[in-house]
Amino acid sequence: MRAAIPFPPISPDIFSVTLFGLDFALRWYALAYIVGILIGWRLALMAVKTARLWPEDKSPMSTAQVEDLLTMVILGVIVGGRIGYVVFYQPAYYLAHPAEALMIWQGGMSFHGGLLGVIAAGLYFCTRNGVPKLQAADMMALAVAPGLLLGRIANFINAELWGRQTDMPWGVIFPGQAAQECGPLIEICARHPSQLYEAALEGVLLGTLLLWLAWRRGALKTPGLVMGTFFAGYGLARFIVEFFRQPDAQFISLDNPLGLALQTGGYGFTMGQLLSIPMILLGIWFILRARKA
């Protein structure tokens, strides 16, 4: 038998109670969202309270405005994330079942869609309140990494979004029939813990880089630099992890076992990679633009 790591016995529910015949549960995934938002909020407050970090030693917004922006960002994440999943990953299914597009509690969120929702919310807030857009974007980018880290760890605990089949010794034996469908000749299927790869790259590495740039290198004094670094860094991290991550089932077929959303001659890109390429290019453009300013 190949070396592999058994999936740890962790329940997706932190606890659950039954009241009046109904089950209520607090799930790790929900807690990850809550704690990630709270940490991001505190990072944003720390940044705006430290005037020396910003151009002309002047914060772009007040603490009250940060809290108002947070409300709009949460709405943007939820609405944008759901619309992105429906449009990017399951358009045919939801065209046939439009009522289910509103059933967020059944799962299905897209990071790229959530990002677009946050951008739309941020632009509306800044325009309405006269807040410098690039500086607000830098502040928001600075606050995202903790949520990405905790969200990917929660994905691992939920045994979802696992990676492709592997014979590496750190492969994880994820539970469930879908995770174990690796072919008739394989007794036990181990997969890349791609959720943890993303947690390390998008959460720890990128988050540390952004904090270092902001607090040690004065990057917030150059509007757009932190945001550009986040776009390019996240896009590159996601592009790399897609080589190890199992694509969504709707993209996999006998003729397309790698689940490529765009291919020619057996080579191409997954949907996650296609959505990440514009992020990388946009991030590089903002970085170059900021450095020339």
Side-chain angles (χ1 to χ4, degrees), residues 272-286:
Q273 288 174 325
L274 287 176
L275 295 173
S276 295
I277 290 173
M279 285 192 68
I280 297 172
L281 297 177
L282 186 63
I284 293 173
W285 183 82
F286 271 113

Side-chain angles (χ1 to χ4, degrees), residues 22-281:
L22 298 176
D23 294 329
F24 298 90
L26 176 61
R27 299 175 63 88
W28 288 106
Y29 196 75
L31 184 63
Y33 260 91
I34 295 170
V35 176
I37 289 172
L38 289 176
I39 295 175
W41 171 57
R42 294 304 303 175
L43 284 174
L45 286 179
M46 287 173 58
V48 299
K49 288 180 179 179
T50 310
R52 63 177 177 80
L53 298 177
W54 302 94
E56 301 179 0
D57 295 336
K58 182 180 179 182
S59 296
M61 65 180 73
S62 66
T63 56
Q65 287 177 319
V66 171
E67 295 172 358
D68 292 339
L69 176 59
L70 175 63
T71 302
M72 299 194 66
V73 164
I74 293 173
L75 183 62
V77 168
I78 296 173
V79 175
R82 184 58 174 179
I83 293 176
Y85 180 78
V86 170
V87 173
F88 298 146
Y89 292 94
Q90 298 261 24
Y93 177 84
Y94 287 107
L95 279 174
H97 307 84
E100 294 187 25
L102 302 176
M103 299 179 182
I104 297 177
W105 57 90
Q106 291 185 354
M109 298 286 281
S110 162
F111 169 82
H112 296 92
L115 177 63
L116 291 175
V118 169
I119 292 173
L123 287 173
Y124 174 77
F125 176 86
C126 291
T127 301
R128 185 177 181 181
N129 293 276
V131 174
K133 295 180 178 64
L134 287 179
Q135 293 181 43
D138 285 337
M139 183 201 69
M140 288 191 287
L142 196 63
V144 172
L148 294 176
L149 169 63
L150 296 174
R152 295 311 182 190
I153 292 176
N155 289 146
F156 179 83
I157 293 174
N158 286 349
E160 62 187 3
L161 303 183
W162 21 259
R164 300 179 188 271
Q165 173 188 345
T166 181
D167 57 3
M168 301 304 293
W170 58 83
V172 175
I173 305 171
F174 287 95
Q177 181 179 354
Q180 289 302 308
E181 289 181 350
C182 288
L185 300 180
I186 298 177
E187 181 180 354
I188 296 179
C189 178
R191 295 182 176 275
H192 284 285
S194 54
Q195 316 96 321
L196 301 184
Y197 299 171
E198 289 191 75
L201 291 176
E202 302 165 5
V204 178
L205 184 60
L206 181 57
T208 301
L209 174 62
L210 295 176
L211 290 175
W212 177 76
L213 287 173
W215 262 269
R216 296 295 184 184
R217 303 297 297 177
L220 290 175
K221 288 185 176 294
T222 307
L225 181 57
V226 171
M227 176 188 62
T229 303
F230 170 77
F231 278 176
Y234 177 88
L236 180 60
R238 179 64 181 270
F239 191 93
I240 293 172
V241 172
E242 283 289 317
F243 288 110
F244 305 95
R245 179 174 171 172
Q246 181 76 0
D248 290 85
Q250 66 269 22
F251 295 111
I252 300 175
S253 66
L254 293 177
D255 298 330
N256 185 18
L258 295 178
L260 302 176
L262 178 66
Q263 65 167 324
T264 176
Y267 297 93
F269 302 103
T270 66
M271 179 57 74
Q273 288 174 325
L274 287 176
L275 295 173
S276 295
I277 290 173
M279 285 192 68
I280 297 172
L281 297 177

